[in-house]
Amino acid sequence: MILEPDILSKLSSLELRAKKIVEGFISGLHKSPYHGFSVEFAEHRPYNPGDDFKHIDWKQYAKKERFYVKQYEEETNLRCYVLLDTSSSMLFKHFGEWSKLRYGIHYAASLLYLMHRQRDACGLIPFSSKIESFIPAKGTYAHLRQIYLELERELIREGKKDELKRTTATASVIHEVAERLNHRSLVVIITDLFENVEAHDELISSLKHLRHRKHEVLLFNTLEKRSERELDFSDNKFVFEDLETGAELEVMPAQIREDYIAKVEEHTKKFKMACSEFEIDYEEMDTESGFDKALLAYLNKRRRLG
């Protein structure tokens, strides 16, 4: 992680944590082959003969008495919405420092901070079996503060272990969002895809609905890879609990691990192929990893949109 979870948790506000995550990410980009992404309000390079004078930064000239060109500044009216799954299954953690929900909240906060820096209008839609709140996309800093307050409320809820369970109905929520968004937008979905396998056809249908409405879609499957993908538990007997229904299942991981991994891989491959068919960008986001790969996936998507 750009900053360790325990260090991030000591920072006073979610906005400050998001800023530190993004600044660390940008610093890493500048030392990597990806230098050149438009991730700042402006970067500068010396003026070269033939450059348009309108791109000269006169404040830099006043300070240094040399001409500098604003190299990467972008003016844009792109609307971006972050759909954040806040259902009870997102409270899961085993190996990681953070639950999937806490990780997703911090990624959403970082993403929204980055969007704002790129002068995109951004909005937030937390959801479970229904839309919990709908904050429309705007580009002002005051509006971004309103979004952070909503995310802070979700962090408080994440810390309450006796909260009423929230079930998942991702497909119906996405269908509703597709109908409510009247302008072409980039829709970023952060979810653990905790649905019955039978429900995934309907989930694909809802994502197609977004694409049919001319929206761009970036889906982040948030998971703790070691436990949920690899079933990397000891060979003792475990009782697994469904965090949304409370149902329990007694399992010996060693007895089912090989078959489990094969079935998960097969199902994930089919889901990825369905997403690819309809030009839906799919990324996995491991809660034991840093945010850099997920932020880079967003920047790649953003760059393709121009």
Side-chain angles (χ1 to χ4, degrees):
M1 199 166 282
I2 302 299
L3 294 174
E4 293 299 323
D6 59 337
I7 297 175
L8 280 175
S9 297
K10 292 176 183 176
L11 298 179
S12 57
S13 71
L14 183 60
E15 181 179 0
L16 180 57
R17 292 173 223 160
K19 180 179 179 182
K20 291 297 183 184
I21 290 169
V22 172
E23 286 178 347
F25 168 68
I26 291 172
S27 176
L29 273 186
H30 288 178
K31 299 172 185 176
S32 78
Y34 296 104
H35 180 71
F37 275 106
S38 301
V39 294
E40 312 218 29
F41 282 129
E43 286 195 20
H44 302 88
R45 61 170 172 77
Y47 172 82
N48 294 316
D51 286 335
D52 195 324
F53 262 68
K54 71 180 180 180
H55 295 308
I56 289 176
D57 190 324
W58 296 105
K59 290 182 180 179
Q60 289 292 318
Y61 177 76
K63 291 178 184 177
K64 301 181 180 180
E65 295 187 351
R66 294 183 63 185
F67 291 119
Y68 288 90
V69 174
K70 297 179 182 179
Q71 188 175 7
Y72 302 124
E73 186 166 313
E74 290 186 337
E75 296 289 344
T76 176
N77 293 314
L78 182 67
R79 290 178 177 83
C80 303
Y81 281 89
V82 175
L83 274 64
L84 176 64
D85 186 348
T86 63
S87 60
S88 293
S89 66
M90 291 286 285
L91 297 174
F92 175 77
K93 69 172 184 176
H94 184 77
F95 296 108
E97 292 287 332
W98 285 352
S99 69
K100 292 184 287 186
L101 180 56
R102 181 165 289 263
Y103 188 96
I105 288 170
H106 281 80
Y107 178 64
S110 305
L111 197 57
L112 290 158
Y113 181 84
L114 186 52
M115 290 171 176
H116 182 73
R117 286 189 66 159
Q118 293 188 290
R119 303 184 182 184
D120 290 335
C122 49
L124 176 70
I125 307 174
F127 72 92
S128 55
S129 58
K130 65 183 188 329
I131 291 174
E132 302 292 342
S133 63
F134 190 106
I135 303 177
K138 295 181 182 178
T140 65
Y141 175 71
H143 184 71
L144 184 64
R145 287 290 307 131
Q146 180 187 352
I147 290 175
Y148 282 137
L149 287 174
E150 180 66 29
L151 290 173
E152 292 274 14
R153 283 191 282 270
E154 288 297 337
L155 275 179
I156 293 171
R157 190 189 73 81
E158 189 264 357
K160 294 181 179 178
K161 304 304 180 185
D162 58 348
E163 181 98 6
L164 290 175
K165 294 186 182 298
R166 287 184 180 180
T167 56
T168 307
T170 308
S172 63
V173 166
I174 293 175
H175 277 303
E176 182 178 349
V177 168
E179 290 298 322
R180 291 180 66 171
L181 298 186
N182 296 320
H183 302 279
R184 183 174 180 267
S185 304
L186 168 60
V187 180
V188 179
I189 305 168
I190 301 171
T191 177
D192 60 358
L193 296 177
F194 191 81
E195 314 251 359
N196 290 330
V197 172
E198 294 79 10
H200 277 202
D201 285 344
E202 183 56 30
L203 180 56
I204 289 294
S205 175
S206 68
L207 295 169
K208 286 168 56 180
H209 190 179
L210 279 173
R211 295 290 294 129
H212 180 72
R213 301 276 291 185
K214 309 301 182 186
H215 301 299
E216 297 292 334
V217 183
L218 178 54
L219 174 66
F220 286 101
N221 183 8
T222 310
L223 67 147
E224 190 184 87
K225 188 174 181 179
R226 273 202 289 169
S227 56
E228 296 182 272
R229 282 284 190 271
E230 299 169 0
L231 210 63
D232 186 18
F233 298 98
S234 68
D235 292 338
N236 298 322
K237 187 179 293 185
F238 284 82
V239 176
F240 292 101
E241 179 187 351
D242 186 323
L243 291 175
E244 296 191 3
T245 67
E248 294 183 348
L249 181 66
E250 193 175 274
V251 172
M252 291 282 288
Q255 294 178 353
I256 67 168
R257 185 177 292 115
E258 186 176 344
D259 188 48
Y260 173 87
I261 291 173
K263 287 184 177 180
V264 167
E265 287 181 351
E266 180 185 5
H267 172 68
T268 303
K269 182 179 179 180
K270 288 180 179 179
F271 190 82
K272 286 180 179 179
M273 289 176 62
C275 286
S276 178
E277 181 182 354
F278 300 105
E279 298 182 318
I280 297 158
D281 290 80
Y282 172 97
E283 298 287 340
E284 289 186 354
M285 193 159 63
D286 184 1
T287 59
E288 290 192 275
S289 299
F291 297 102
D292 51 343
K293 182 180 177 183
L295 288 170
L296 186 59
Y298 159 74
L299 283 185
N300 274 315
K301 179 71 170 179
R302 180 67 185 82
R303 183 173 63 172
R304 292 198 299 272
L305 297 179

